[in-house]
Amino acid sequence: MKNYFIGIDFSKKTFDATVLKKDEPCGLGVHQVFNNTESGINNFKKWIIKTTETNKKESILICGENTGVYSKLVSDSLSNLGYSIWLESALQIKRSLGLTRGKNDKKDSRDIAEYAIRHNDKFKQHIPLSKELEALHVLFSQRRLFVLQKKSLSARSKELNDKYSSNSLLSSSHKCDDRLIKFYTAEIKKINNQMLKIINQCEELKANYDILISMKGVALINAVALLIYTNNFKRFDFNARRICSYWGIAPFAYQSGTSLNGTPHVSKYADSYLKGLLSEAVICAIRFCPEIRNYAQKLAAKGKHPAIIKNNCKNKMIHILVAMVKNKTLYGEIKKTTN
């Protein structure tokens, strides 16, 4: 049973922590600031024991906002030490607080501790990424940046060529853009090869990767995205609906009483880049994957809008992929396990 709840507000150099007791959710709690470093984490552990007056880790729940690299060091260290550490969406915590006035790090850490008390039934243990997935995540983010830079340069270069092709004074600018585009193209290729090398060196990743790419339409980048953001399918408990929701492709109903009865549509709270990658995959799947193609044709025969057909096919892809990984079967073998 959890008797002490610690809220953490992360920042680049420090993190604020506030302890609240289970039976005092509206109290001020005990607050302290620590450096976001290894030594700061050691001081934090000593402070936990002193403040809670217990060495029982099972009686303590630590909750913080998932802020990427800022929360990584503390959350990974505490998880590896056996603490119950919960990283929650910043938007989820903010919306749960209702109307609030004012903001500072001390108040934020206390609000997070109160959130942990009131919603501890939603607790989900933070599981650090393996070193292979961590490396893939960094490379994936780097590749994403390079792809965006390349697209921006390509669009700019085309515009300049279309409008100023006759101006000889701009020839050096055109050449500079071309060099940068070639550079990014080469770097993207290198990153792809690095990611493949990492996957091939890890048996667990390689097994799931081979399963994912056995489906037409899913190639390296979409497979890597699924491996990273599902923590090699250890996150979401093989719940395809939750993964679809995370990817921003799960439709939700909008209905209230008799006056509001909108058609279901997807939420804007999602990573548009991941969603875009899946859009590219589903276009290929509709052409070359029999099950997805037949499903798209059935929806079209019912008169569904092309955007709805595309989104529903994305959902079906994710459900099939999750079932494939869960059952450890390649595409084409999945029907044997579901019949």
Side-chain angles (χ1 to χ4, degrees):
M1 180 181 290
K2 308 299 183 185
N3 296 315
Y4 296 93
F5 295 81
I6 303 176
I8 299 181
D9 184 66
F10 297 103
S11 60
K12 183 178 181 180
K13 295 183 178 180
T14 62
F15 63 94
D16 287 66
T18 298
V19 176
L20 289 178
K21 292 182 179 179
K22 180 182 179 180
D23 54 352
E24 297 178 7
C26 296
L28 294 176
V30 182
H31 170 262
Q32 187 62 272
V33 182
F34 303 90
N35 291 326
N36 200 344
T37 59
E38 291 287 356
S39 61
I41 294 170
N42 290 330
N43 292 332
F44 176 59
K45 290 186 293 182
K46 295 175 184 176
W47 177 78
I48 290 175
I49 296 171
K50 180 181 178 182
T51 307
T52 62
E53 298 180 344
T54 180
N55 284 314
K56 296 180 179 179
K57 296 177 182 177
E58 60 272 15
S59 67
I60 300 169
L61 175 58
I62 303 169
C63 182
E65 294 177 349
N66 190 345
T67 53
V69 292
Y70 294 165
S71 59
K72 174 179 167 45
L73 179 64
V74 177
S75 56
D76 285 3
S77 297
L78 293 174
S79 179
N80 291 331
L81 288 169
Y83 282 97
S84 297
I85 173 75
W86 177 19
L87 290 185
E88 181 60 280
S89 161
L91 182 62
Q92 178 71 26
I93 295 174
K94 180 180 179 180
R95 291 202 161 188
S96 73
L97 297 174
L99 292 174
T100 59
R101 293 177 175 83
K103 173 180 171 59
N104 59 61
D105 293 340
K106 178 180 179 180
K107 179 180 182 299
D108 288 347
S109 65
R110 189 222 160 274
D111 287 343
I112 294 170
E114 183 178 346
Y115 174 87
I117 293 176
R118 300 190 185 280
H119 301 278
N120 68 87
D121 57 310
K122 298 179 181 178
F123 162 66
K124 185 73 175 178
Q125 176 67 28
H126 167 70
I127 303 174
L129 294 177
S130 65
K131 64 178 182 179
E132 290 85 6
L133 279 173
E134 194 173 85
L136 285 176
H137 197 180
V138 172
L139 290 170
F140 183 85
S141 299
Q142 188 178 38
R143 184 188 185 280
R144 175 178 180 171
L145 175 63
F146 286 176
V147 167
L148 292 175
Q149 293 286 4
K150 180 185 172 183
K151 284 183 178 178
S152 178
L153 281 167
S154 297
R156 177 183 180 276
S157 180
K158 185 179 184 302
E159 187 175 351
L160 288 177
N161 281 326
D162 290 343
K163 294 184 177 180
Y164 304 106
S165 57
S166 61
N167 191 333
S168 59
L169 296 176
L170 291 173
S171 60
S172 60
S173 177
H174 298 327
K175 290 178 181 178
C176 179
D177 284 349
D178 291 340
R179 285 197 303 271
L180 286 172
I181 290 169
K182 288 179 181 178
F183 167 77
Y184 283 124
T185 301
E187 289 301 308
I188 291 168
K189 187 176 181 180
K190 287 180 183 177
I191 291 172
N192 289 347
N193 291 334
Q194 281 181 276
M195 290 195 293
L196 269 174
K197 185 178 179 181
I198 291 169
I199 291 169
N200 288 327
Q201 289 174 347
C202 179
E203 186 177 339
E204 189 179 0
L205 285 177
K206 182 69 165 61
N208 286 342
Y209 174 77
D210 287 341
I211 290 171
L212 293 171
I213 64 170
S214 69
M215 184 178 190
K216 294 291 185 182
V218 180
L220 173 66
I221 305 307
N222 269 292
V224 167
L226 279 165
L227 292 173
I228 293 169
Y229 291 100
T230 64
N231 197 352
N232 198 18
F233 292 88
K234 294 175 183 175
R235 188 181 178 191
F236 301 115
D237 300 321
F238 289 102
N239 188 321
R241 171 72 179 181
R242 289 178 60 198
I243 296 175
C244 288
S245 180
Y246 185 86
W247 250 254
I249 60 172
F252 293 91
Y254 282 81
Q255 189 273 334
S256 179
T258 57
S259 59
L260 180 61
N261 192 18
T263 57
H265 58 273
V266 298
S267 171
K268 64 181 179 179
Y269 299 118
D271 190 323
S272 60
Y273 181 71
L274 293 179
K275 193 173 179 179
L277 290 176
L278 196 59
S279 296
E280 295 173 6
V282 83
I283 291 171
C284 181
I286 289 172
R287 291 182 61 192
F288 300 108
C289 180
E291 194 166 355
I292 302 299
R293 182 174 64 245
N294 293 338
Y295 181 59
Q297 289 172 349
K298 286 180 181 178
L299 293 175
K302 293 179 180 178
K304 298 295 184 181
H305 191 278
I308 294 176
I309 295 173
K310 191 175 179 181
N311 191 74
N312 285 6
C313 286
K314 292 178 193 176
N315 270 275
K316 191 167 187 67
M317 277 188 73
I318 292 294
H319 279 77
I320 292 172
L321 290 168
V322 171
M324 286 162 55
V325 174
K326 186 176 182 179
N327 294 302
K328 301 297 180 185
T329 54
L330 300 176
Y331 184 77
E333 299 175 357
I334 189 66
K335 290 181 181 178
K336 297 176 185 179
T337 63
T338 56
N339 286 342

